[in-house]
Amino acid sequence: MESKRGPGRTPGAGKAVWRALGYLRRYRFDTMGALLSLLMASAANLAAPQFVRQVVDEGIAHGSMPAVRAAVAGLVGVALVRGVCNFLQGYLAERASQGVAFDLRDSLFERLQRLSFSYHDQAQTGQLLTRLTNDVEQVRTFVGGGAVQVVASLLMLVGCTALLFMTNPVLALAALATIAPVLWVLRHFMMKMGPLFGQVQGTLGRLNSILQESLRGARVVRAFSGEARESARYGRVNEEYLGLNLQLITIIFTHFPWVFFFASLGTLVVVGVGGWLIFHQWLSIGELLAFNSYLGFLLLPLITLGFLANQMSRAGVSAVRIFELLDTSVEVVDRPGAQVLPPLEGRVELRDVRFRYAGGERDILKGVSFVVEPGQFVAIIGTTGSGKSTVINLIPRFYEVTGGAVLIDGRDVRDVTLASLRSQVGIVLQEATLFAGTLRENIAYGRPSASLEEVQAAAEAAQAAEFIAALPQGYDTPVGERGVGLSGGQRQRVAIARALLTQPRLLILDDSTSAVDARTEAEIQHALDRLMRGSQRTAIVIAQRLSTVRDADQVIVLDEGRVVAQGRHEELLASSPLYNEILGSQLRPEQGEAV
């Protein structure tokens, strides 16, 4: 959404930059070292014109070779000091800036890991990637080197001005009056650049979002011959991004020629007025040369500050976007005084649960109540949009209920720590997400210390061992990004094995067998049933097949956010028209099986 504040800077950009500068405290020795080195380099620069004056006024004018040698030695010393200090300033500033970037990326990633599902439901992945990459880089560039340059430029400005007046006050006033318009040009430049940077960063985020969506949906794009449409969509935003960057370039190249014009005008005034003063014996030739050098040094920090203002505007916009993310509240957190959940028995109760997604206009769940006893195998079915997935997302507290309570073993899930709750709940989500790495690493994700034998046992239970054994590298087979290289059914079996390896007392499966064939689904269900019966593990499954509801201890039927029926398969067949309708329209029978 565009700002209604008119031209100027992004609201809060100044405070955000100051806050980003605070990250330098951890690297204060590097920062102070860089600043001190830059000040020494600036002092060496200011000393150089005095040696030039000495060569002209004391050496050449009076024919004194010792004065010339001393001045040349001084210039060599200045060059050495300047070289060493410039190296130290660049090296130490870069160390500090990389440290700040590391801390920001680390903080942003940690925050993203803790933010609630409701935030990720609304956030665009491309925008988040832009904040972790481009925005962090913009802040790093200014905070590390730019901030030090600002301080040094301001001190250089004061030092040059003082030396100009010490050399000749009349000439100093004439020169400063000539170059004063440079300040107006730089101010106008800053006011123009500020708003554009916000638009540039926002457009870059949209560009990354389209790129990310297109890459993830590459198969869908090709399946529907959407390449041209995707290229056109990307091209439109890319063209907008190009246009904004060209506007930035236009502003730079329409302002800085004026800076150099007034600088040249200042040199013209210095030569003219200075020549007149020399003819009247009020100024020496060496002093005129030194004065002209100091005037150049005065313009250098002014121009540097102009570019740094450009850099600061970028950093300010990026810092606002970074701290917006860092300051986003985490909705699902441990309450003060939250207790560690003891080892589960497996009783689950939803008591008059109501839920509405953030920003939503209607309740998804409207007073849902049911009880699952320890060791029960419960199937949840319902009409489309009835809230099935929402129910199982509330049990491990991925979302916070807006009314009522979810209880496990009689304890409200809000009164126990998240770590102790989720460590005892095994969940297989609708989308079987795998990470880059080996199959063994993916199965052992919840228990990285698990032995190979334990991993193999979990794979066996999930009916994944057979296809893994057939792979050339077995459990050490690399898995591509998001499980590319495995079929949907194979990915889901690996995800089920991952959940089983944690040996959960409560197992939740969200449509986890929807991508496997009937035979594999039956094998998985048989293995899960054996595991649940043998260990008294509670299981809650969103059912997609008739065999699942037929074997369940209890079937819960949802419709429009309410429980409309519950009981065993045979009971519901006789008492619930909606259940019969769902059986006929949604659930898939196994081969040769009739409803």
Side-chain angles (χ1 to χ4, degrees), residues 89-265:
Q89 181 269 325
Y91 174 73
L92 294 174
E94 191 64 23
R95 276 174 55 99
S97 71
Q98 291 295 342
V100 170
F102 171 84
D103 290 342
L104 286 173
R105 284 193 298 265
D106 218 35
S107 298
L108 285 167
F109 189 79
E110 182 183 359
R111 173 60 53 155
L112 285 172
Q113 296 303 303
R114 296 176 57 219
L115 284 172
S116 308
F117 278 25
S118 57
Y119 177 85
H120 291 286
D121 289 341
Q122 301 176 57
Q124 289 185 317
T125 304
Q127 292 284 356
L128 297 179
L129 288 174
T130 301
R131 297 189 192 203
L132 266 80
T133 53
N134 188 268
D135 284 331
V136 168
E137 182 61 20
Q138 295 295 343
V139 171
R140 182 198 72 79
T141 302
F142 176 75
V143 168
V148 171
Q149 292 274 0
V150 167
V151 174
S153 295
L154 290 173
L155 292 176
M156 187 78 166
L157 204 60
V158 172
C160 286
T161 303
L163 287 169
L164 287 174
F165 277 97
M166 288 172 60
T167 303
N168 191 288
V170 174
L171 189 57
L173 287 171
L176 291 177
T178 307
I179 65 171
V182 170
L183 298 175
W184 179 86
V185 172
L186 292 176
R187 179 179 177 275
H188 192 261
F189 170 76
M190 291 172 60
M191 291 180 65
K192 286 275 191 179
M193 295 292 274
L196 269 178
F197 286 134
Q199 296 177 48
V200 167
Q201 295 298 85
T203 305
L204 179 61
R206 286 165 50 209
L207 201 64
N208 285 337
S209 293
I210 294 172
L211 177 61
Q212 185 261 345
E213 288 175 358
S214 182
L215 291 175
R216 290 199 64 177
R219 287 178 172 82
V220 176
V221 172
R222 285 162 178 75
F224 291 91
S225 301
E227 295 92 339
R229 292 192 300 274
E230 288 301 309
S231 295
R233 186 163 71 110
Y234 186 84
R236 284 193 297 270
V237 180
N238 196 21
E239 187 175 350
E240 182 181 345
Y241 184 61
L242 172 64
L244 289 170
N245 278 291
L246 289 177
Q247 287 184 51
L248 291 176
I249 293 171
T250 301
I251 291 172
I252 292 172
F253 284 97
T254 54
H255 282 74
F256 276 89
W258 288 103
V259 172
F260 296 117
F261 169 76
F262 287 115
S264 301
L265 193 60

Side-chain angles (χ1 to χ4, degrees), residues 20-37:
L21 288 171
Y23 280 74
L24 286 172
R25 282 194 293 269
R26 186 176 171 187
Y27 309 97
R28 54 186 174 276
F29 294 114
D30 286 337
T31 305
M32 294 305 297
L35 179 59
L36 182 61
S37 298

Side-chain angles (χ1 to χ4, degrees), residues 455-573:
V455 170
Q456 289 172 334
E460 193 78 41
Q463 299 297 308
E466 184 178 348
F467 87 79
I468 293 176
L471 297 172
Q473 295 175 261
Y475 288 87
D476 292 323
T477 300
V479 176
E481 185 181 3
R482 300 190 312 278
V484 172
L486 300 179
S487 68
Q490 289 172 336
R491 288 197 298 271
Q492 285 186 309
R493 279 178 276 176
V494 170
I496 292 171
R498 179 170 57 198
L500 293 176
L501 184 61
T502 63
Q503 299 177 352
R505 297 291 299 171
L506 173 59
L507 183 62
I508 298 173
L509 297 99
D510 181 1
D511 194 16
S512 59
T513 57
S514 61
V516 300
D517 57 41
R519 177 184 173 186
T520 303
E521 194 270 345
E523 291 173 348
I524 292 174
Q525 191 58 59
H526 177 69
L528 292 176
D529 185 63
R530 186 174 67 249
L531 284 169
M532 289 182 288
R533 301 302 180 191
S535 60
Q536 291 299 302
R537 181 180 283 116
T538 304
I540 301 174
V541 180
I542 292 182
Q544 287 292 317
R545 295 188 185 276
L546 175 60
S547 58
T548 304
V549 298
R550 186 190 57 196
D551 297 336
D553 297 313
Q554 181 182 183
V555 180
I556 296 169
V557 185
L558 295 178
D559 184 33
E560 295 184 355
R562 293 184 174 87
V563 175
V564 295
Q566 62 185 111
R568 290 189 63 86
H569 171 62
E570 295 79 7
E571 298 169 351
L572 295 175
L573 276 176

